[in-house]
């Protein structure tokens, strides 16, 4: 049961300034929903049970996305592009679930995911006082960082021991508030349905983040416990008819990351330094993987999921950078900062406690820029960009960290996280040696390019060889791609790791002290000063603007809302809702050319479809990456849609929310049912969602399993 | 008539050291062919007429490639990918000559190219003494650079005035030797034949620079003078049967650029600095253009030629970088430099004159790295990456430069070059505003990323707008995409340019002083010290190794040779010659999937083809980018093939030639004839090449013009 602690223990409202919020803005905490705004603008009022129901129906995909329970039998809905990671891991040569889709007509045909973990947020506790008490003002940064890590690890451990739930201390407002989130964790997740990627991602990269849009970006999984479908206490019922233009709609999901509370100096660093560097890396990966994929159908399959993510990130980051380079956006941020600063300086007490915070952030930026290349290469491991290295490092660190007391460990090795950590480490997801080799060779070259080929550390890593030759020998000889080997090695503890002659383990051992050094520098001289400074800025913000402020996104559960409406773009009115008719027209306009090609099923079943079925819609809810797969519900908490994207104008929401043109994009609930019944012959699934039997005619043709891919998973261990 | 001047006036052979050449190495000057090597290894001897005939049959494509006269009626053969620039410029919406190919069954159907210029090398004169006399040792760099520019401009002007020929002073050995090349220039070039890109570039980017290979990378043009096909004094006859494994073959072509005489410090700068920067830019352009092309078929057509070039450069530069990062390659360069240095230091006179040259090069590298970002952005105009800016700058500079005496002008505005310059400036090649806008927006963003968005110059360029908004307004409003407007504006001289309100002209005016400043810095503090230093190193090399040293490539005519032979790769024997049979097999292996898809004509005509026809072959001739389209001839100076590529192992030839695996790749002459006759029904063209009528059966089916694209050029002026 959720603990409604006082939201902001440290807030002292001095109240004069107006809350700088746009209409429908906000990624709200479920502990502090925007009741006032909802009542004023929409006349909407709901009791706590309404919010609790939505919160506990929401599901987090730990692989990076959102979802929701949508049936009494543990059915979970998310996006195809959220499920794609799981689909890729259960595919093999000649069995491409991402491309071909899947439907289990009965429970026994559902396929178990390799390493997927889902979380449901069961309770929230404010632990700000505890965390802050452990780190008194004035503690030197190095000590502060350690003390903070220790107290957070300890709170989590205590909670896990007590409740058995996954327990995470969440940093909110960049360090203004700390919450303890307790999650129920599910790890037996099975695939029920996925459409073909050509319809899930119709329009491909060109249409990604654009509107009008025509995607069936959906995937259904079923959660099992003790070998049986789970009966969730809360799940969302299906609406009749979905949304119409002008309707109020809500989103419960896990926005990943925003930078709205950043100082201007921080944003400028993102604009002139961090984003360009990230984009350079993304483009490099995009070219590498696209070229690899072009070589054969099987190569394309192996690289597909990662390539999609990279292209998606590239387009999103480009949009974000465009926002940072837009003087209107930056002016808004500057004006807001100036107003807050002015209020702080006008108040002697605030001035004394918070006045120096902006300079402190700026100083941390200087350190960040200085250490960025080394941090990126060694700690973020962009110099060793392959799964084998990531695994090897995890094994090396696991042995070293778990030998320490819980309080002293790196965050990801804290006791309360170890189950989830092992779920990933011992995953049997396939690892392809050919793909690993080209990625490692390219990133070793990147490393040599960054620091100079003759740099002594680079030479130690390369052992005097070319990046290509070194990558080939490392990947050919390492055994860490074998999950059993990993388990055995880890079981041997520190000694086994130190003695290991596996070349990737040796490389991880070589790199680790250097990586830890730069990580410590980052944690102590960048992250910790920022937490302290942003903690102060948050205090100032609460004092000046009141507690009606939402924190930046942190991949934790939030509530957003807005109304379904179109917008004007270049003098043209963009409709709020698209239809199946529009889908077929857009495909025809492009002569069914990739990425506007329709799957064969959609061509075959065209005549059976109601062309006026709403397909996608836009609304003003405040979402961002991580919200993918979030349920969209109406006033009655019924499913009306499925978030899968935002439009181009929403990409600037990383920094500033604006609903003049910016929109969240969702699949309409009616499209899902109509497609399941008429295109996929998946009437049973549609029945389960809607809670009622449909007429037989709509489900007459069972396209599956005849058209479904083989379930043979024999090639899952394929290593290329 | 070629002037056989003494090759190296300054050479003093001291002779002890062995010439460090591999077998078949060398991009030889026609004034100094490798007669000794040819006689010793191949027993080949030829008289001057043999070399003169080959030299004057060779043709340079000023757009960047090679070719040759191959018929008495002015037919010129080159690669499809060399002709693609011309093909793109004569294509329009719905008329994609690159994709669909072209064949003019009669002369009147041949299409005139928009701005193509071909050059034939008529004579060579050594002007080293003249150039060096104008720049005495010890002249300060700034004065030396000006004096050198003045004397080169003057020599060229005098030659043009006297002979009417295009006259270029060529810098050889990075400044050791200067030659005056006189070219006969042709500007009325008409398209005769091009195959579909799917067969010209079969295998696409994955197979590019790889072998076995199956490309029909050919294009035929016809040269006209006074409205009639030219009757060239020299043209190459077609061989009977082409080459077989073990045959000696020659290449006459225009290798673009190599760095084999670079010092080690210079190579290290390329490895750790220049190549990574170039690759970052290429990948950025690749992602941008690929994404633009994905949006529609017409977008794809508009971006195609440039995207091909970029992908081709990216793969070539990646191969070059891999070479620089290969310790074996670098060791060879280091050993050679050490040997030369040792010999220099052992000789007091050489030590005094040349001993400091290596340090001088290294010092120039420091300056180069310092000014690189500004030089690249402003002078190389990577900050304004669109044709409209290039045109605007040319207009602005043309007015300013031509107001000066010839001797003082920037090299490209020297009198002797103005005809060629204007041919480009007033080209009616189509300019697409949509493509221009995305390229300019992206490059303006690159500019802001490089120097910081708030940099004062960046802000003057952007006028306080976002890169996207600024690019849109510039491209929408400029009229420089209209060739007539350019002519009118240029006719008004400096005054008209200064008064112009065209926003792109205004931008070019704003940027030009800054660009000139960094160019001057480059010319005086990088280029000139390098010329001086490399001049000395060249003297040392001649003294130590003798004159049997070829200069680095400079996109001027060279002779290469080698024998047709396969090689071993990963334990596998790679055959020397592929066949049509292999082509169809490779396509089938990939299920005819892009880029392994065959054009419809090749599917339809399969049964009529002799499957044993040799298609592509490899041999050991020393070539590099720019050699594309070079004729391959046998001992009798007859065409046996057409250079179009080198293999992956040849990419390191930028720095070090090695024929263990490195190979030049060519289309076999038999494949050309068989395809023309049987796939394309182009018997008349095959007859013209072979000089004989074929049996009627082989030419029976005239696939053209029924299958040929529309000749309608109405959309050539399309501006998107």
């Amino acid at each position: 049961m959720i603990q409604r602690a006082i939201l902001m223990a440290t807030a002292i409202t001095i109240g004069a300034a107006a809350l700088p919020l746009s209409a429908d803005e906000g990624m709200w905490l479920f502990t502090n929903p925007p009741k006032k705004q909802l009542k004023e603008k929409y006349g909407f009022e709901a009791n706590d049970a309404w919010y609790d129901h939505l919160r506990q129906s929401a599901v987090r995909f730990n692989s990076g996305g959102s979802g929701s329970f949508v049936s009494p039998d543990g059915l979970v809905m998310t996006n195809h592009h959220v499920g794609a990671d799981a689909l890729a891991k259960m595919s093999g040569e000649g069995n491409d679930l991402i491309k071909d889709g899947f439907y289990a007509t009965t429970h026994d045909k559902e396929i178990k995911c390799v390493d997927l973990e889902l979380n449901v947020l069961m309770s929230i506790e404010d632990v700000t006082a505890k965390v802050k008490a452990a780190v008194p003002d004035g503690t030197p940064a190095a000590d502060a960082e350690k003390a903070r890590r220790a107290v957070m690890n300890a709170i989590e451990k205590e909670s896990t021991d007590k409740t058995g739930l996954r327990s995470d201390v969440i940093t909110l407002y960049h360090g203004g508030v700390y919450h303890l989130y307790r999650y129920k964790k599910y790890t037996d997740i099975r695939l029920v349905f996925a459409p073909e990627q050509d319809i899930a991602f119709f329009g491909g990269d060109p249409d990604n983040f654009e509107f009008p849009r025509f995607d069936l970006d959906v995937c259904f999984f079923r959660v099992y416990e003790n070998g049986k479908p789970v009966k969730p206490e809360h799940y969302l019922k299906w609406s009749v008819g979905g949304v119409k233009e002008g309707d109020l709609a809500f989103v419960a999901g896990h926005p990943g990351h925003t930078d709205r509370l950043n100082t201007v100096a921080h944003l400028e660093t993102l604009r002139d330094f961090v984003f360009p560097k990230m984009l350079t890396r993304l483009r490099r990966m995009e070219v590498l993987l696209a070229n690899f994929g072009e070589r054969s159908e099987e190569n394309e399959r192996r690289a597909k999921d990662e390539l999609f993510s990279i292209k998606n990130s590239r387009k999103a980051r480009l949009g974000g950078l465009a926002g940072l380079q837009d003087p209107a956006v930056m002016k808004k941020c500057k004006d807001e900062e100036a107003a807050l600063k002015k209020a702080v300086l006008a108040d002697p007490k605030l001035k004394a406690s918070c006045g120096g915070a902006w300079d402190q952030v700026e100083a941390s930026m200087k350190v960040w820029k200085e250490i960025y290349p080394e941090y990126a290469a060694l700690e973020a491991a962009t110099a060793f960009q392959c799964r084998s290295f990531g695994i090897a490092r995890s094994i090396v660190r696991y042995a070293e960290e778990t030998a320490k007391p819980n309080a002293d460990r790196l965050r990801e090795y804290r006791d309360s996280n170890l189950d989830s950590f092992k779920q990933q480490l011992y995953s049997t997801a396939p690892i392809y040696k050919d793909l690993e080799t080209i990625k490692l060779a390219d990133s070793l070259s990147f490393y040599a390019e960054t620091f100079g080929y003759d740099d002594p550390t680079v030479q130690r890593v390369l052992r005097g060889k070319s990046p290509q030759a070194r990558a080939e020998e490392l990947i050919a000889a390492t055994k860490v791609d074998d999950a059993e080997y990993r388990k055995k090695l880890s079981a041997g503890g520190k000694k086994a790791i130190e003695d290991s002659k596996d070349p990737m383990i040796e490389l991880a051992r070589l790199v680790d002290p250097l990586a830890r050094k730069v990580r410590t520098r980052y944690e102590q001289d960048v992250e910790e000063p920022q937490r302290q400074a942003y903690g102060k800025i948050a205090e100032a913000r609460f004092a000046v603007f009141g507690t009606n402020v939402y924190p930046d996104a942190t991949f934790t559960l939030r509530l957003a809302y807005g109304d379904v409406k179109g917008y004007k773009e270049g003098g043209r009115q963009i409709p709020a809702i698209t239809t199946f008719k529009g889908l077929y027209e857009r495909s025809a306009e492009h002569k069914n050319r990739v990425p506007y090609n329709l799957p064969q099923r959609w061509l075959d079943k065209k005549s059976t479809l109601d062309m006026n079925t709403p397909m996608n819609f836009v609304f003003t809810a405040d979402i961002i990456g991580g919200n993918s797969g979030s349920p969209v519900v109406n006033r009655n908490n019924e499913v009306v849609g499925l978030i899968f994207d935002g439009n181009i104008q929403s990409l600037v929401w990383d920094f500033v929310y604006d609903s003049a043109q910016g929109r969240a994009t969702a699949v309409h609930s009616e499209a899902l049912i109509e497609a399941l019944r008429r295109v996929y012959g998946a009437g049973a699934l549609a029945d389960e969602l809607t809670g009622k039997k449909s007429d037989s005619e709509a489900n007459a043709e069972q396209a599956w399993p005849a058209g479904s891919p083989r379930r043979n998973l024999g090639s899952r261990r394929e290593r290329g």
Side-chain angles (χ1 to χ4, degrees), chain A:
Chain A
M1 165 72 207
I2 190 167
Q3 306 205 19
R4 297 200 172 274
I6 299 148
L7 174 69
M8 282 134 196
T10 55
I12 328 139
T13 308
I14 59 170
L19 182 75
L21 282 185
S22 301
D24 302 345
E25 176 170 358
M27 300 170 171
W28 298 93
L29 295 167
F30 271 79
T31 46
N32 186 32
K35 291 184 174 175
K36 187 164 163 277
Q37 289 93 322
L38 285 167
K39 188 175 173 192
E40 282 176 4
K41 182 166 174 192
Y42 295 101
F44 176 82
E45 288 181 279
N47 56 17
D48 287 353
W50 190 96
Y51 289 103
D52 288 347
H53 177 69
L54 181 55
R55 170 174 57 80
Q56 290 186 73
S57 299
V59 167
R60 181 169 77 170
F61 276 67
N62 249 6
S63 54
S66 302
S68 56
F69 278 119
V70 286
S71 94
D73 292 317
L75 204 58
V76 165
M77 174 174 75
T78 186
N79 292 143
H80 183 273
H81 78 270
V82 170
D85 174 66
L87 295 175
K89 288 172 177 171
M90 55 178 78
S91 295
E93 188 161 357
N95 175 33
D96 189 343
L97 295 179
I98 294 184
K99 179 166 172 267
D100 298 327
F102 177 81
Y103 176 46
T105 46
T106 53
H107 286 196
D108 63 307
K109 288 183 182 151
E110 295 167 2
I111 313 176
K112 194 175 172 191
C113 298
V114 171
D115 55 14
L116 189 56
E117 175 185 322
L118 302 190
N119 297 153
V120 176
L121 180 57
M122 304 306 286
S123 77
I124 300 173
E125 185 181 339
D126 191 315
V127 293
T128 308
K130 270 194 209 174
V131 174
K132 293 212 164 172
V135 192
D137 265 10
T139 315
D143 298 337
E145 187 277 318
K146 278 182 204 152
R148 198 183 304 277
R149 181 148 46 96
V151 69
M152 288 164 74
N153 289 3
I155 292 170
E156 288 161 342
K157 169 111 169 66
E158 190 195 327
S159 167
T160 308
D161 289 350
K162 202 168 70 186
T163 64
L165 296 172
R166 174 183 173 134
S167 301
D168 297 347
V169 174
I170 310 296
T171 304
L172 298 168
Y173 303 95
H174 300 219
V177 170
Y178 293 86
H179 279 183
L180 172 62
Y181 279 31
R182 293 199 186 88
Y183 294 103
K184 181 147 175 62
K185 195 169 73 177
Y186 297 102
T187 54
D188 184 354
I189 318 297
R190 305 189 191 175
L191 177 63
V192 177
F193 173 84
E196 311 86 342
Q197 191 176 32
D198 285 342
I199 190 68
F201 193 47
F202 177 82
D205 184 70
D207 277 9
N208 197 13
F209 297 110
E210 317 230 349
F211 204 80
R213 194 77 175 280
F214 310 90
D215 286 5
L216 198 83
D217 194 353
V218 70
C219 220
F220 290 99
F221 292 94
R222 193 181 306 280
V223 175
Y224 281 70
E225 257 187 335
N226 306 318
K228 285 183 180 161
V230 81
K231 304 278 180 188
E233 198 187 332
H234 295 272
Y235 71 89
L236 300 172
K237 297 211 169 126
W238 210 260
S239 73
V240 174
V243 281
K244 295 187 179 47
E245 187 149 7
D247 283 357
L248 168 64
F250 301 86
V251 179
H254 301 81
H257 181 90
T258 52
D259 286 296
R260 294 186 194 167
L261 303 181
N262 287 17
T263 67
V264 170
H266 197 155
L267 291 176
E268 287 171 348
T269 302
L270 295 182
R271 180 190 66 195
D272 294 343
F273 186 82
V274 178
F275 270 52
K277 290 224 179 291
M278 284 168 55
L279 278 161
T280 297
R281 202 182 87 72
L282 288 168
R283 292 188 189 101
R284 181 171 186 142
M285 291 292 288
E286 181 169 343
V287 168
L288 184 77
L289 294 180
N291 295 160
F292 175 81
E294 246 192 313
R295 290 184 173 266
S296 73
E297 206 170 353
E298 173 60 7
N299 275 21
E300 188 184 6
R301 189 192 68 74
R302 291 179 181 194
K304 190 183 299 184
D305 180 43
E306 188 174 3
L307 180 57
F308 165 80
S309 293
I310 285 165
K311 291 176 83 145
N312 191 55
S313 296
R314 182 254 308 148
K315 201 163 177 180
R317 291 290 90 73
L318 269 179
L321 179 59
L324 290 167
Q325 289 176 337
D326 179 344
V329 170
M330 204 51 120
K331 185 174 183 307
K332 219 165 160 177
C333 300
K334 282 178 179 171
D335 289 351
E336 208 177 298
E337 178 165 307
L340 182 56
K341 267 185 171 172
K342 198 178 159 191
V344 166
L345 296 179
D347 180 293
K349 220 174 125 191
L350 274 180
K351 186 182 171 185
S353 65
C354 311
W358 285 269
D359 289 347
Q360 200 176 342
V361 172
E362 194 165 356
S364 78
M365 288 296 123
K366 289 215 177 93
V367 180
W368 183 216
K369 283 200 253 184
E370 181 199 323
I371 67 173
Y372 187 96
E374 215 181 338
Y375 185 92
L378 302 182
E379 177 59 20
T382 56
F384 317 103
Q385 203 63 51
C386 63
R387 286 197 53 213
S388 304
F389 179 83
I391 288 168
R393 157 179 292 179
S394 291
I395 293 173
V396 168
R397 286 195 171 172
Y398 176 79
E400 190 164 343
E401 291 297 306
T402 52
K404 297 179 192 169
N406 182 45
D408 296 348
R409 294 183 199 160
L410 297 176
R411 286 281 291 150
E412 60 272 34
Y413 298 90
R414 64 194 189 275
D415 273 330
S416 61
N417 193 51
L418 285 184
D419 278 353
S420 297
F421 175 84
K422 286 184 203 164
Q423 161 102 344
Q424 291 305 310
L425 181 57
Y426 304 138
S427 163
T428 55
I431 295 176
Y432 302 105
K433 293 226 178 214
D434 55 352
L435 183 54
E436 292 279 282
T437 303
I438 65 135
K439 284 170 63 184
L440 182 57
D442 185 71
S443 53
L444 287 174
S445 179
F446 162 78
Y447 183 39
E449 293 162 33
T450 305
F451 297 96
Y453 181 79
D454 290 329
D455 173 86
T457 310
V458 171
Q459 280 302 309
R460 278 170 69 204
V461 165
L462 293 179
R463 295 204 173 169
K465 301 193 170 107
S466 72
Q468 179 68 33
R470 181 71 174 129
E472 282 170 12
E473 71 176 15
L474 280 163
I475 297 295
T478 187
K479 288 184 192 130
V480 299
D481 53 324
D482 178 350
E484 286 307 314
Y485 178 81
R486 282 174 234 158
K487 271 189 199 162
K488 238 178 268 171
L489 198 54
S490 279
K494 269 186 95 165
K495 174 85 174 76
I497 307 304
E498 276 158 18
D499 293 346
S500 172
K501 298 279 179 221
D502 186 283
M504 199 62 83
I505 297 284
E506 288 179 321
L507 178 64
R509 280 206 318 260
L510 169 71
V511 170
D512 207 42
L514 304 165
R516 283 172 177 271
K517 201 173 150 194
V518 69
R519 174 168 172 163
T520 300
R521 181 88 203 277
Y522 172 76
E523 287 176 347
Q524 297 185 352
D525 298 343
V526 180
E527 200 177 44
E528 177 60 31
Q530 273 182 37
R531 270 178 201 249
Q532 294 180 3
Y534 277 118
K536 286 170 185 170
I537 292 172
E539 277 175 40
R541 195 173 264 121
F542 301 151
V544 176
F545 298 127
T547 58
N548 204 0
V549 176
Y550 60 92
D552 262 318
T554 52
F555 196 43
T556 51
L557 191 65
R558 303 296 177 86
L559 177 73
Y561 66 94
D563 60 340
V564 177
K565 66 174 177 186
Y567 53 99
K568 281 215 161 132
E569 187 179 66
R572 198 166 61 114
Q573 180 64 34
I574 307 292
I577 304 178
T578 64
T579 61
F580 282 175
K581 182 161 174 278
L583 166 72
Y584 285 98
E585 283 170 355
R586 185 141 179 84
S587 178
E589 190 186 302
H590 286 277
K591 302 177 193 161
N592 208 36
R593 174 183 180 265
V594 175
Y596 299 98
N597 52 316
L598 287 167
Q600 194 56 45
R601 281 191 190 89
W602 284 78
L603 298 172
D604 295 346
K605 298 299 174 71
K606 184 177 174 186
S607 66
T608 72
L609 288 171
D610 177 354
M611 284 294 142
N612 295 319
T613 306
M615 185 157 195
N616 291 170
F617 65 95
V618 286
F619 64 130
T620 57
D622 188 357
I623 58 137
I624 206 86
N627 267 115
S628 287
S630 301
V632 186
V633 297
N634 60 18
R635 293 167 183 250
N636 301 324
N637 242 334
E638 298 159 338
V639 174
V640 294
L642 170 63
I643 291 285
F644 73 100
D645 208 2
N647 65 359
I648 281 279
Q649 292 88 348
S650 80
L651 291 175
V652 69
W653 290 0
D654 274 0
F655 315 104
V656 171
Y657 173 87
D658 181 354
S659 59
Q661 295 182 302
R663 292 290 182 276
T665 313
V667 185
H668 197 282
S669 54
E670 292 292 291
L672 295 173
I673 299 301
E674 178 78 359
L676 286 175
R677 292 200 192 283
R678 299 190 190 264
V679 179
Y680 296 103
L685 178 55
D687 290 348
E688 184 178 348
L689 291 168
T690 56
K692 54 189 166 196
K693 283 275 170 211
S694 75
D695 59 285
S696 59
E697 187 204 21
N699 298 322
E701 290 185 80
Q702 291 286 336
W704 314 80
S708 81
R710 288 180 290 116
R711 273 197 61 206
N712 168 21
L713 299 183
S715 57
R716 266 168 59 188
R717 300 292 295 281
E718 158 82 45
R719 291 208 180 77

